[in-house]
Amino acid sequence: MNGNRVVRLTREIRFFLSAESAPQAAGPVLNSWSGWPSSRTVAPFLSLQCTLEGAIDPRTDYVCNVKQVDAILRQQVICDVWTKLGNRLAATTPATLLEEFWHSAAAHVPEGTTLSELRLRVSPFFSFTLHRARFPMISASQQFEFSASHRLHNLALSDEENRRLYGKCNNPHGHGHNYVLEISLELTPDQAQDYSTAQTEQIVKSRVIDRLDHRHLNVEVAPFDRLNPTVENIAVTIWDWLVSDFSESSRLSRVRVYETPKTWADYFGPNHAGDQ
């Protein structure tokens, strides 16, 4: 019934990668949740998210078996890259590591699937991603935090309509959130090799965080004195503040704002029309 339905399936593995410890000698996988191979030393802890695209198999109802994906990533991809880079791992950039993972994963994907996306998380808050549709461009994503209060209130509506539409979020005294902001930049392979988190951090801090952190948005921050500060409008406004700063060395490709861990908004710019 679903055999002609194309689906993207993502599987994540977590692992330590050390020049001193060959993954081939790590033994059986005992705790895939916290990571394999593991390490007794201070080694980079990474995660790799592999997205495969394919039709649902009418016999198994899978795109593919995730156990097969695990085996490919652990026994083929990680081992291939460790063998190739060896003692150079400590000096390897995340972009190079991701590119090597991509080439190995693409060569070993399960039959009937295509490698759609590969994301290397250097930390829970910083990642590099390769998309098949935009290969070899690399996306670098970094998270930031700010705390702010706001009141959801549309000036074009009456007070009664606002109360009915927004409920307690229309409280005249406002309410607060610990927002998480994620900035994604699209880089050429050369730019990704030289990517500086410090430069991005300086731009985002001066353009966004210093403006919004510990502020009442409706009262203290333009344009929210006249623009309803929904999470959607906050994402678009942050895009407008940042887009020109990244036009030369890299391209701003997405702004994501988490209002809560369960609610977030993405904005890809005014000309966005395709899949991200």
Side-chain angles (χ1 to χ4, degrees):
M1 174 178 163
N2 290 323
N4 60 347
R5 305 281 183 94
V6 174
V7 174
R8 289 180 181 174
L9 176 71
T10 299
R11 182 68 166 175
E12 176 179 302
I13 61 166
R14 301 156 186 173
F15 57 100
F16 288 91
L17 201 57
S18 167
E20 291 75 29
S21 303
Q24 295 93 326
V29 180
L30 300 177
N31 187 354
S32 62
W33 177 257
S34 67
W36 178 99
S38 57
S39 177
R40 291 178 297 174
T41 64
V42 179
F45 177 78
L46 307 168
S47 69
L48 189 65
Q49 295 176 354
C50 178
T51 300
L52 300 172
E53 184 176 294
I56 297 176
D57 186 315
R59 184 178 66 86
T60 64
D61 291 316
Y62 288 150
V63 170
C64 62
N65 192 323
V66 294
K67 292 183 178 179
Q68 184 183 6
V69 180
D70 284 354
I72 289 171
L73 294 176
R74 291 184 176 126
Q75 298 169 18
Q76 297 287 339
V77 175
I78 292 178
C79 293
D80 284 353
V81 173
W82 187 90
T83 300
K84 181 172 182 178
L85 296 178
N87 292 330
R88 293 184 288 129
L89 272 172
T92 300
T93 66
T96 294
L97 192 59
L98 177 61
E99 289 173 342
E100 295 295 342
F101 281 141
W102 177 276
H103 293 306
S104 179
H108 296 295
V109 293
E111 184 178 355
T113 67
T114 301
L115 181 60
S116 177
E117 180 180 297
L118 204 62
R119 173 175 286 112
L120 176 66
R121 288 198 175 275
V122 182
S123 81
F125 320 105
F126 181 45
S127 64
F128 285 85
T129 306
L130 272 167
H131 305 268
R132 178 169 57 91
R134 297 192 295 283
F135 189 87
M137 301 298 286
I138 295 174
S139 175
S141 299
Q142 189 171 4
Q143 290 189 349
F144 304 80
E145 182 189 39
F146 63 92
S147 298
S149 59
H150 69 163
R151 178 195 188 198
L152 297 187
H153 190 84
N154 187 333
L155 294 176
L157 303 178
S158 69
D159 288 347
E160 179 56 36
E161 288 174 309
N162 273 289
R163 283 192 293 270
R164 187 165 57 248
L165 179 59
Y166 299 117
K168 63 183 180 181
C169 294
N170 184 243
N171 179 352
H173 300 289
H175 63 280
H177 297 283
N178 292 321
Y179 292 91
V180 174
L181 167 65
E182 184 172 279
I183 301 298
S184 295
L185 305 176
E186 190 167 80
L187 312 169
T188 66
D190 287 343
Q191 289 170 338
Q193 294 295 342
D194 296 327
Y195 176 70
S196 168
T197 57
Q199 182 181 8
T200 299
E201 288 164 357
Q202 181 58 50
I203 292 171
V204 174
K205 182 179 185 301
S206 62
R207 294 291 192 186
V208 180
I209 305 304
D210 287 349
R211 275 169 147 163
L212 300 180
D213 191 38
H214 285 73
R215 298 286 189 268
H216 191 306
L217 302 184
N218 309 66
V219 177
E220 299 180 85
V221 183
F224 301 115
D225 53 345
R226 60 187 185 281
L227 179 67
N228 197 5
T230 61
V231 67
E232 297 91 336
N233 280 337
I234 293 171
V236 172
T237 298
I238 290 174
W239 173 283
D240 291 341
W241 288 345
L242 290 175
V243 64
S244 62
D245 288 283
F246 294 107
S247 58
E248 295 183 8
S249 60
S250 53
R251 185 183 72 84
L252 184 63
S253 59
R254 186 190 69 185
V255 167
R256 170 174 288 180
V257 179
Y258 290 86
E259 188 172 75
T260 74
K262 299 187 296 181
T263 304
W264 63 89
D266 289 323
Y267 186 61
F268 301 94
N271 299 318
H272 169 66
D275 183 33
Q276 293 284 340

